[in-house]
Amino acid sequence: MRAVVFERYGEPAEVREVPDPVPPEHGVVVRVEATGLCRSDWHGWMGHDPDITLPHVPGHELAGVIEAVGARVSGHRPGDRVTVPFVCACGRCPACAAGDQQVCERQTQPGFTHWGSFAQYVALDHADVNLIPVPPELSFATAASLGCRFATAFRAVVAQGRAAPGEWVAVHGCGGVGLSAVMIAAACGARVVAVDVSPAALDLARRFGAAECVDASAVADPAQAVRELTGGGAHLSLDALGSPGTCAASVEGLRRRGRHVQVGLLPAPDGLTPVPMARVIGLELELLGSHGMAAHAYPPLLELVRSGLLRPDLLVTSAITLDRAPSALAAMGSAPGAGVTVVEPWA
Ligand SMILES: [Zn+2]
Ligand SMILES: [Zn+2]
């Protein structure tokens, strides 16, 4: 098969022929029809993820058709249209037993712990725990956009963030996950303040339901701008980029008893970042994380997509071939572009 491979961190990846994967005993091989290009792939390529061994194939936001199944898979067959959360759970550890597959103790992640989906085929483990059927009315490109950023945003806003109608929700960083969060928070009936340095990203945020926008490149203090627009601060705020600046701004833009959800990965491998803890204490703020979403939590999300209330398809702004993926991956660090790019390995 053809795949995007890199041999060294931060040096150009290339498309080459590699052996086809074989399904694990409990897993499947999926023919990849679409796979999203995400900032997490860029972090992996830069060497920010300790799970990656070289040479490596990135890619973790995929949808496609089952090509082959392992001997001990019971619920899926070749030909099924499927997607997966980027956290593939083991199904047996205490976290999985509690229904928290998104923080599984023995999780695998395509494109991180093993070769991913910037390839014509990808192997996925524990298929009966992790595979999500893709309804026929959902395109592969849209389904691919759900597995990481949209589902993570959904869990961050709805489950972790507990967004409620009428509340102010600030979203710092309007890339794929941030725009997803804007759309989901607006669908929850919240009033959304979108913050980004890119006018194009803010235009999309407005289109997806943001009531207010803050151009962080044009104001001295984005957190103060959020506090002024929201009459004292947001009830819920997300760092959807993952940087020391956006994390601190998200916390500083909250009102009393507000909730901060860290969604974007921080560039340091250990995730260390300065947080204004005096404000956390004095205002009794909550600090939360969000790490994807378990496969069993997808049906309500898929129903909202099917009904048209959520439109992840609108986030997909470009589709590229495998051959263009290496340069697009490198560009995610500096010029990620507005919206979500999907790679179509068979195009
Ligand atoms: Zn991702
Ligand atoms: Zn587990």
Side-chain angles (χ1 to χ4, degrees), residues 62-73:
L62 67 119
V65 177
I66 296 177
E67 181 77 12
V69 299
R72 300 182 66 182
V73 173

Side-chain angles (χ1 to χ4, degrees), residues 84-171:
V84 277
F86 78 90
V87 177
C88 288
C90 75
R92 305 177 131 203
C93 73
C96 283
D100 291 325
Q101 285 84 350
Q102 75 282 358
V103 290
C104 169
E105 294 172 20
R106 293 192 289 272
Q107 62 190 257
T108 57
Q109 297 181 13
F112 299 99
T113 60
H114 61 99
W115 282 15
S117 53
F118 286 8
Q120 291 180 311
Y121 296 101
V122 65
L124 302 167
D125 208 356
H126 298 291
D128 289 333
V129 180
N130 297 303
L131 292 190
I132 299 151
V134 172
E137 61 270 26
L138 213 61
S139 75
F140 287 115
T142 304
S145 75
L146 296 179
C148 167
R149 287 171 282 190
F150 207 80
T152 298
F154 189 76
R155 182 165 166 78
V157 170
V158 175
Q160 297 294 83
R162 313 186 302 275
E167 284 192 333
W168 281 105
V169 176
V171 178

Side-chain angles (χ1 to χ4, degrees), residues 26 32 39 57 98 152-153 156 160-162 167 173 175 186 208 216 220-221 236:
H26 291 276
V32 181
R39 201 170 148 85
V57 176
T152 298
Q160 297 294 83
R162 313 186 302 275
E167 284 192 333
F208 296 152
D221 182 351
L236 167 65

Side-chain angles (χ1 to χ4, degrees), residues 169-209:
V169 176
V171 178
H172 294 259
C174 293
V177 73
L179 289 173
S180 303
V182 167
M183 184 185 287
I184 293 160
C188 290
R191 291 171 289 176
V192 179
V193 186
V195 185
D196 202 285
V197 295
S198 156
L202 292 175
D203 283 346
L204 283 176
R206 204 171 277 113
R207 187 171 156 214
F208 296 152

